Amino acid sequence: IPTIARLYAAGRLSPPAAAPALRNPSAALNRRISLLRADITTLPVDAIVNAAKNSLRGGGGVDGAIHSAAGRALVAECLAMYPDGCDTGDAVITAGHKLPAKHVIHTVGPVYQSQAASEPLLKSCYESCLDVAVENGCATIAFSGVSTGIYGYPSEKAAHVACRTVRDFLEEGDDEGKIERVIFVTFLDKDVNAYNAVLPLYFPPD
Ligand code: AR6
């Protein structure tokens, strides 16, 4: 999976259309970030992030795809380990079962209401997932576009939250140097377009 440093070098990702407003515009982090259009259930990484529901019982969208690829043992583990489910903005971890990924980090995004109400919860999802990854020794983590499907979060707004939160987390060293790669996984055209526009604002090339 190429890093965005390579995507820039190969001309497959364009520099930001507007000037990025970053405290530290260093491009060093670009060697730890990937942007990939894929079915997240196919990725052989330490952890994939599921856009789950509070009950953790599985559902539609990426949640349905992950549960069907992982097999019935996934929902059984969710219910046994987390009988009270997961709060919106929080994250929990299970094994990957039949998936090529070692773990699934389940987070519950907000149903989009307004930017003011929903943004802090979505930010909390990304931070919680990164915290859980660090606590469990996951060096490679692939994020799905939490809340941007059935829960209705506009793709560009969500991409800003995702990119800013990951940049801040890595830049501040909250990963204790343990996260080697963060992969933003897109699926539909609208998410591909959103990330192509937004990610370079937070991770510009040199
Ligand atoms: N691989 C990668 N991304 C995917 C895949 C896939 N196989 N399938 C969908 N996406 P959604 P939400 C993208 O609706 O908005 C469920 O029923 C999709 O294009 O899965 O957080 C849960 O049980 C979008 O960008 O999650 C909850 O009830 C992103 O994944 C509810 O939906 C998230 O879309 C959660 O809604």
Side-chain angles (χ1 to χ4, degrees), residues 3 29-34 46 137-141 170 175 177-183:
T3 65
L29 287 175
N30 293 1
R31 292 193 296 274
R32 295 165 67 193
I33 303 292
S34 293
D46 291 331
C138 300
T140 52
I141 176 171
L170 295 181
D175 71 316
K178 290 181 182 160
I179 293 190
E180 292 168 13
R181 191 77 73 86
V182 175
I183 303 160

Side-chain angles (χ1 to χ4, degrees), residues 36-43 49-67 107-112 122 143-153 155 185-191 195:
L36 182 70
R37 182 179 207 166
D39 174 353
I40 202 167
T41 65
T42 65
L43 301 183
V49 172
N50 181 20
K53 56 161 59 115
N54 294 117
S55 70
L56 301 178
R57 284 166 189 263
V62 72
D63 195 10
I66 288 172
H67 276 273
T107 190
V108 183
V111 175
Y112 187 73
L122 190 61
F143 279 98
S144 61
V146 179
S147 281
T148 62
I150 294 162
Y151 283 179
Y153 211 115
S155 294
V185 179
T186 56
F187 195 63
L188 302 179
D189 283 344
K190 71 179 175 74
D191 306 300
Y195 271 88

